[in-house]
Amino acid sequence: MASDSLSATFAALADPTRRAILARLAEGPATVKDLSAPFAMSGPAVSKHLRVLERAGLIARGREAQWRPCRLEATPLKAVAEWAEGYRRFWDDSYERLDEYLRHLKQREKDEQRGEGR
């Protein structure tokens, strides 16, 4: 995924309303009216959020008879997860080093206690 696409995905995910819309769409397709229901905002305001999500490639809009259901497109989220994976490895390595250091301190403490009792 190009960095511009990644930036668009992060920008779309920065808003809690858009994240809530994506969470709802993870359950299945929904209309703008369905997506508007839990929010204290107008249909046009929700439509603006949907356009941002659509430009980021996070949703797609279809056409079924007289309604246009929105559905989740998870491919950009996979790219975000892959990008974040390197940082997960960083934290895992950091925690492993911390665990090793704590084991070292405990062992030193035990060694010192044994030396005091002699």
Side-chain angles (χ1 to χ4, degrees):
M1 173 178 250
S3 63
D4 288 344
S5 297
L6 193 58
S7 294
T9 301
F10 276 118
L13 294 174
D15 186 275
T17 300
R18 291 191 287 266
R19 291 192 305 271
I21 289 169
L22 290 177
R24 167 52 188 89
L25 291 175
E27 298 171 6
T31 64
V32 174
K33 183 178 179 182
D34 295 335
L35 295 170
S36 299
F39 304 107
M41 63 177 69
S42 67
V46 171
S47 290
K48 285 183 181 183
H49 284 294
L50 294 175
R51 282 193 295 279
V52 171
L53 292 168
E54 193 170 24
R55 279 193 304 272
L58 290 163
I59 67 166
R61 295 191 202 200
R63 186 175 292 273
E64 293 180 20
Q66 293 183 346
W67 63 294
R68 294 188 55 181
C70 298
R71 70 178 193 286
L72 178 65
E73 292 289 332
T75 302
L77 295 175
K78 183 178 184 224
V80 168
E82 289 170 354
W83 178 84
E85 179 66 19
Y87 296 97
R88 185 192 61 80
R89 278 187 245 120
F90 167 80
W91 284 109
D92 286 348
D93 291 347
S94 296
Y95 287 132
E96 285 177 26
R97 286 190 305 274
L98 178 60
D99 286 343
E100 180 59 34
Y101 180 69
L102 293 174
R103 281 192 293 274
H104 170 75
L105 289 178
K106 282 184 179 183
Q107 185 60 48
R108 191 167 73 184
E109 186 177 297
K110 284 180 185 179
D111 291 347
E112 288 174 358
Q113 287 175 353
R114 273 190 250 136
E116 289 177 7
R118 290 185 195 179

PDB file of all heavy atoms in Angstrom, residues 82-100:
ATOM      1  N   GLU A  82      -0.351  -4.552   8.986  1.00  0.00           N
ATOM      2  CA  GLU A  82       0.997  -4.933   8.562  1.00  0.00           C
ATOM      3  C   GLU A  82       2.002  -3.843   8.919  1.00  0.00           C
ATOM      4  O   GLU A  82       3.116  -4.138   9.360  1.00  0.00           O
ATOM      5  CB  GLU A  82       1.014  -5.222   7.062  1.00  0.00           C
ATOM      6  CG  GLU A  82       0.284  -6.501   6.703  1.00  0.00           C
ATOM      7  CD  GLU A  82       0.073  -6.678   5.209  1.00  0.00           C
ATOM      8  OE1 GLU A  82       0.394  -5.748   4.423  1.00  0.00           O
ATOM      9  OE2 GLU A  82      -0.439  -7.746   4.826  1.00  0.00           O
ATOM     10  N   TRP A  83       1.630  -2.590   8.745  1.00  0.00           N
ATOM     11  CA  TRP A  83       2.507  -1.481   9.097  1.00  0.00           C
ATOM     12  C   TRP A  83       2.797  -1.500  10.603  1.00  0.00           C
ATOM     13  O   TRP A  83       3.932  -1.302  11.040  1.00  0.00           O
ATOM     14  CB  TRP A  83       1.851  -0.163   8.685  1.00  0.00           C
ATOM     15  CG  TRP A  83       2.644   1.045   9.049  1.00  0.00           C
ATOM     16  CD1 TRP A  83       3.669   1.601   8.357  1.00  0.00           C
ATOM     17  CD2 TRP A  83       2.471   1.843  10.227  1.00  0.00           C
ATOM     18  NE1 TRP A  83       4.156   2.694   9.024  1.00  0.00           N
ATOM     19  CE2 TRP A  83       3.438   2.870  10.168  1.00  0.00           C
ATOM     20  CE3 TRP A  83       1.598   1.790  11.311  1.00  0.00           C
ATOM     21  CZ2 TRP A  83       3.550   3.832  11.163  1.00  0.00           C
ATOM     22  CZ3 TRP A  83       1.716   2.755  12.307  1.00  0.00           C
ATOM     23  CH2 TRP A  83       2.676   3.756  12.220  1.00  0.00           C
ATOM     24  N   ALA A  84       1.756  -1.735  11.397  1.00  0.00           N
ATOM     25  CA  ALA A  84       1.896  -1.725  12.853  1.00  0.00           C
ATOM     26  C   ALA A  84       2.646  -2.952  13.365  1.00  0.00           C
ATOM     27  O   ALA A  84       3.186  -2.923  14.479  1.00  0.00           O
ATOM     28  CB  ALA A  84       0.522  -1.641  13.515  1.00  0.00           C
ATOM     29  N   GLU A  85       2.710  -3.999  12.585  1.00  0.00           N
ATOM     30  CA  GLU A  85       3.369  -5.237  13.002  1.00  0.00           C
ATOM     31  C   GLU A  85       4.822  -4.999  13.423  1.00  0.00           C
ATOM     32  O   GLU A  85       5.281  -5.579  14.405  1.00  0.00           O
ATOM     33  CB  GLU A  85       3.316  -6.262  11.873  1.00  0.00           C
ATOM     34  CG  GLU A  85       3.994  -7.574  12.187  1.00  0.00           C
ATOM     35  CD  GLU A  85       3.318  -8.370  13.291  1.00  0.00           C
ATOM     36  OE1 GLU A  85       2.126  -8.117  13.594  1.00  0.00           O
ATOM     37  OE2 GLU A  85       3.987  -9.248  13.872  1.00  0.00           O
ATOM     38  N   GLY A  86       5.531  -4.156  12.714  1.00  0.00           N
ATOM     39  CA  GLY A  86       6.916  -3.852  13.080  1.00  0.00           C
ATOM     40  C   GLY A  86       7.021  -3.251  14.468  1.00  0.00           C
ATOM     41  O   GLY A  86       7.974  -3.523  15.208  1.00  0.00           O
ATOM     42  N   TYR A  87       6.064  -2.478  14.855  1.00  0.00           N
ATOM     43  CA  TYR A  87       6.069  -1.876  16.183  1.00  0.00           C
ATOM     44  C   TYR A  87       5.691  -2.892  17.249  1.00  0.00           C
ATOM     45  O   TYR A  87       6.200  -2.841  18.368  1.00  0.00           O
ATOM     46  CB  TYR A  87       5.153  -0.649  16.224  1.00  0.00           C
ATOM     47  CG  TYR A  87       5.685   0.423  15.305  1.00  0.00           C
ATOM     48  CD1 TYR A  87       5.190   0.575  14.021  1.00  0.00           C
ATOM     49  CD2 TYR A  87       6.735   1.233  15.710  1.00  0.00           C
ATOM     50  CE1 TYR A  87       5.711   1.531  13.165  1.00  0.00           C
ATOM     51  CE2 TYR A  87       7.267   2.190  14.862  1.00  0.00           C
ATOM     52  CZ  TYR A  87       6.743   2.334  13.585  1.00  0.00           C
ATOM     53  OH  TYR A  87       7.275   3.260  12.749  1.00  0.00           O
ATOM     54  N   ARG A  88       4.853  -3.841  16.909  1.00  0.00           N
ATOM     55  CA  ARG A  88       4.524  -4.909  17.856  1.00  0.00           C
ATOM     56  C   ARG A  88       5.783  -5.700  18.169  1.00  0.00           C
ATOM     57  O   ARG A  88       6.071  -6.005  19.320  1.00  0.00           O
ATOM     58  CB  ARG A  88       3.443  -5.843  17.310  1.00  0.00           C
ATOM     59  CG  ARG A  88       2.997  -6.891  18.358  1.00  0.00           C
ATOM     60  CD  ARG A  88       2.148  -7.987  17.757  1.00  0.00           C
ATOM     61  NE  ARG A  88       2.849  -8.738  16.745  1.00  0.00           N
ATOM     62  CZ  ARG A  88       3.723  -9.722  17.011  1.00  0.00           C
ATOM     63  NH1 ARG A  88       4.028 -10.045  18.243  1.00  0.00           N
ATOM     64  NH2 ARG A  88       4.300 -10.377  16.024  1.00  0.00           N
ATOM     65  N   ARG A  89       6.566  -6.004  17.132  1.00  0.00           N
ATOM     66  CA  ARG A  89       7.818  -6.719  17.351  1.00  0.00           C
ATOM     67  C   ARG A  89       8.765  -5.901  18.231  1.00  0.00           C
ATOM     68  O   ARG A  89       9.438  -6.446  19.107  1.00  0.00           O
ATOM     69  CB  ARG A  89       8.484  -7.057  16.018  1.00  0.00           C
ATOM     70  CG  ARG A  89       7.881  -8.307  15.405  1.00  0.00           C
ATOM     71  CD  ARG A  89       8.642  -8.745  14.166  1.00  0.00           C
ATOM     72  NE  ARG A  89       7.700  -8.581  13.062  1.00  0.00           N
ATOM     73  CZ  ARG A  89       7.865  -7.809  12.014  1.00  0.00           C
ATOM     74  NH1 ARG A  89       8.966  -7.137  11.842  1.00  0.00           N
ATOM     75  NH2 ARG A  89       6.941  -7.714  11.089  1.00  0.00           N
ATOM     76  N   PHE A  90       8.794  -4.599  18.030  1.00  0.00           N
ATOM     77  CA  PHE A  90       9.626  -3.727  18.863  1.00  0.00           C
ATOM     78  C   PHE A  90       9.224  -3.861  20.329  1.00  0.00           C
ATOM     79  O   PHE A  90      10.075  -4.018  21.215  1.00  0.00           O
ATOM     80  CB  PHE A  90       9.498  -2.267  18.403  1.00  0.00           C
ATOM     81  CG  PHE A  90      10.062  -1.287  19.378  1.00  0.00           C
ATOM     82  CD1 PHE A  90      11.428  -1.056  19.447  1.00  0.00           C
ATOM     83  CD2 PHE A  90       9.226  -0.595  20.240  1.00  0.00           C
ATOM     84  CE1 PHE A  90      11.952  -0.144  20.356  1.00  0.00           C
ATOM     85  CE2 PHE A  90       9.746   0.310  21.157  1.00  0.00           C
ATOM     86  CZ  PHE A  90      11.110   0.533  21.212  1.00  0.00           C
ATOM     87  N   TRP A  91       7.906  -3.786  20.607  1.00  0.00           N
ATOM     88  CA  TRP A  91       7.450  -3.872  21.991  1.00  0.00           C
ATOM     89  C   TRP A  91       7.678  -5.258  22.566  1.00  0.00           C
ATOM     90  O   TRP A  91       8.065  -5.395  23.740  1.00  0.00           O
ATOM     91  CB  TRP A  91       5.976  -3.464  22.116  1.00  0.00           C
ATOM     92  CG  TRP A  91       5.856  -1.979  22.039  1.00  0.00           C
ATOM     93  CD1 TRP A  91       5.345  -1.242  21.017  1.00  0.00           C
ATOM     94  CD2 TRP A  91       6.304  -1.031  23.014  1.00  0.00           C
ATOM     95  NE1 TRP A  91       5.452   0.106  21.300  1.00  0.00           N
ATOM     96  CE2 TRP A  91       6.037   0.256  22.513  1.00  0.00           C
ATOM     97  CE3 TRP A  91       6.919  -1.156  24.252  1.00  0.00           C
ATOM     98  CZ2 TRP A  91       6.353   1.406  23.216  1.00  0.00           C
ATOM     99  CZ3 TRP A  91       7.235   0.004  24.949  1.00  0.00           C
ATOM    100  CH2 TRP A  91       6.949   1.264  24.436  1.00  0.00           C
ATOM    101  N   ASP A  92       7.454  -6.302  21.770  1.00  0.00           N
ATOM    102  CA  ASP A  92       7.728  -7.657  22.247  1.00  0.00           C
ATOM    103  C   ASP A  92       9.200  -7.799  22.639  1.00  0.00           C
ATOM    104  O   ASP A  92       9.518  -8.342  23.700  1.00  0.00           O
ATOM    105  CB  ASP A  92       7.381  -8.702  21.175  1.00  0.00           C
ATOM    106  CG  ASP A  92       5.883  -8.903  21.015  1.00  0.00           C
ATOM    107  OD1 ASP A  92       5.107  -8.428  21.875  1.00  0.00           O
ATOM    108  OD2 ASP A  92       5.489  -9.545  20.019  1.00  0.00           O
ATOM    109  N   ASP A  93      10.102  -7.316  21.799  1.00  0.00           N
ATOM    110  CA  ASP A  93      11.532  -7.373  22.098  1.00  0.00           C
ATOM    111  C   ASP A  93      11.854  -6.566  23.355  1.00  0.00           C
ATOM    112  O   ASP A  93      12.642  -7.002  24.199  1.00  0.00           O
ATOM    113  CB  ASP A  93      12.357  -6.855  20.922  1.00  0.00           C
ATOM    114  CG  ASP A  93      12.304  -7.772  19.715  1.00  0.00           C
ATOM    115  OD1 ASP A  93      11.838  -8.932  19.849  1.00  0.00           O
ATOM    116  OD2 ASP A  93      12.717  -7.326  18.623  1.00  0.00           O
ATOM    117  N   SER A  94      11.242  -5.401  23.488  1.00  0.00           N
ATOM    118  CA  SER A  94      11.479  -4.566  24.674  1.00  0.00           C
ATOM    119  C   SER A  94      11.020  -5.272  25.941  1.00  0.00           C
ATOM    120  O   SER A  94      11.724  -5.255  26.960  1.00  0.00           O
ATOM    121  CB  SER A  94      10.746  -3.226  24.537  1.00  0.00           C
ATOM    122  OG  SER A  94      11.256  -2.493  23.459  1.00  0.00           O
ATOM    123  N   TYR A  95       9.855  -5.901  25.896  1.00  0.00           N
ATOM    124  CA  TYR A  95       9.349  -6.624  27.072  1.00  0.00           C
ATOM    125  C   TYR A  95      10.225  -7.831  27.389  1.00  0.00           C
ATOM    126  O   TYR A  95      10.462  -8.156  28.553  1.00  0.00           O
ATOM    127  CB  TYR A  95       7.899  -7.043  26.877  1.00  0.00           C
ATOM    128  CG  TYR A  95       6.927  -5.889  26.974  1.00  0.00           C
ATOM    129  CD1 TYR A  95       5.939  -5.705  26.018  1.00  0.00           C
ATOM    130  CD2 TYR A  95       6.985  -4.980  28.026  1.00  0.00           C
ATOM    131  CE1 TYR A  95       5.051  -4.639  26.102  1.00  0.00           C
ATOM    132  CE2 TYR A  95       6.109  -3.920  28.116  1.00  0.00           C
ATOM    133  CZ  TYR A  95       5.142  -3.759  27.156  1.00  0.00           C
ATOM    134  OH  TYR A  95       4.264  -2.712  27.239  1.00  0.00           O
ATOM    135  N   GLU A  96      10.734  -8.499  26.364  1.00  0.00           N
ATOM    136  CA  GLU A  96      11.632  -9.625  26.604  1.00  0.00           C
ATOM    137  C   GLU A  96      12.904  -9.162  27.301  1.00  0.00           C
ATOM    138  O   GLU A  96      13.388  -9.816  28.232  1.00  0.00           O
ATOM    139  CB  GLU A  96      11.968 -10.339  25.292  1.00  0.00           C
ATOM    140  CG  GLU A  96      10.827 -11.181  24.768  1.00  0.00           C
ATOM    141  CD  GLU A  96      11.146 -11.828  23.427  1.00  0.00           C
ATOM    142  OE1 GLU A  96      12.353 -12.051  23.134  1.00  0.00           O
ATOM    143  OE2 GLU A  96      10.197 -12.106  22.687  1.00  0.00           O
ATOM    144  N   ARG A  97      13.458  -8.021  26.878  1.00  0.00           N
ATOM    145  CA  ARG A  97      14.647  -7.487  27.534  1.00  0.00           C
ATOM    146  C   ARG A  97      14.339  -7.097  28.981  1.00  0.00           C
ATOM    147  O   ARG A  97      15.148  -7.338  29.885  1.00  0.00           O
ATOM    148  CB  ARG A  97      15.199  -6.282  26.764  1.00  0.00           C
ATOM    149  CG  ARG A  97      15.898  -6.675  25.467  1.00  0.00           C
ATOM    150  CD  ARG A  97      16.658  -5.507  24.842  1.00  0.00           C
ATOM    151  NE  ARG A  97      15.862  -4.314  24.609  1.00  0.00           N
ATOM    152  CZ  ARG A  97      15.129  -4.079  23.529  1.00  0.00           C
ATOM    153  NH1 ARG A  97      15.073  -4.968  22.562  1.00  0.00           N
ATOM    154  NH2 ARG A  97      14.440  -2.958  23.419  1.00  0.00           N
ATOM    155  N   LEU A  98      13.172  -6.520  29.209  1.00  0.00           N
ATOM    156  CA  LEU A  98      12.775  -6.160  30.566  1.00  0.00           C
ATOM    157  C   LEU A  98      12.621  -7.412  31.428  1.00  0.00           C
ATOM    158  O   LEU A  98      13.088  -7.449  32.573  1.00  0.00           O
ATOM    159  CB  LEU A  98      11.469  -5.357  30.551  1.00  0.00           C
ATOM    160  CG  LEU A  98      10.909  -4.957  31.914  1.00  0.00           C
ATOM    161  CD1 LEU A  98      11.904  -4.091  32.679  1.00  0.00           C
ATOM    162  CD2 LEU A  98       9.581  -4.221  31.739  1.00  0.00           C
ATOM    163  N   ASP A  99      11.992  -8.450  30.882  1.00  0.00           N
ATOM    164  CA  ASP A  99      11.845  -9.712  31.624  1.00  0.00           C
ATOM    165  C   ASP A  99      13.208 -10.283  32.009  1.00  0.00           C
ATOM    166  O   ASP A  99      13.409 -10.734  33.140  1.00  0.00           O
ATOM    167  CB  ASP A  99      11.072 -10.745  30.802  1.00  0.00           C
ATOM    168  CG  ASP A  99       9.582 -10.455  30.727  1.00  0.00           C
ATOM    169  OD1 ASP A  99       9.082  -9.665  31.560  1.00  0.00           O
ATOM    170  OD2 ASP A  99       8.926 -11.031  29.841  1.00  0.00           O
ATOM    171  N   GLU A 100      14.135 -10.263  31.069  1.00  0.00           N
ATOM    172  CA  GLU A 100      15.483 -10.769  31.335  1.00  0.00           C
ATOM    173  C   GLU A 100      16.160  -9.946  32.424  1.00  0.00           C
ATOM    174  O   GLU A 100      16.794 -10.500  33.338  1.00  0.00           O
ATOM    175  CB  GLU A 100      16.320 -10.754  30.055  1.00  0.00           C
ATOM    176  CG  GLU A 100      17.730 -11.269  30.251  1.00  0.00           C
ATOM    177  CD  GLU A 100      17.795 -12.702  30.766  1.00  0.00           C
ATOM    178  OE1 GLU A 100      16.925 -13.514  30.404  1.00  0.00           O
ATOM    179  OE2 GLU A 100      18.720 -12.998  31.554  1.00  0.00           O
TER     180      GLU A 100
END
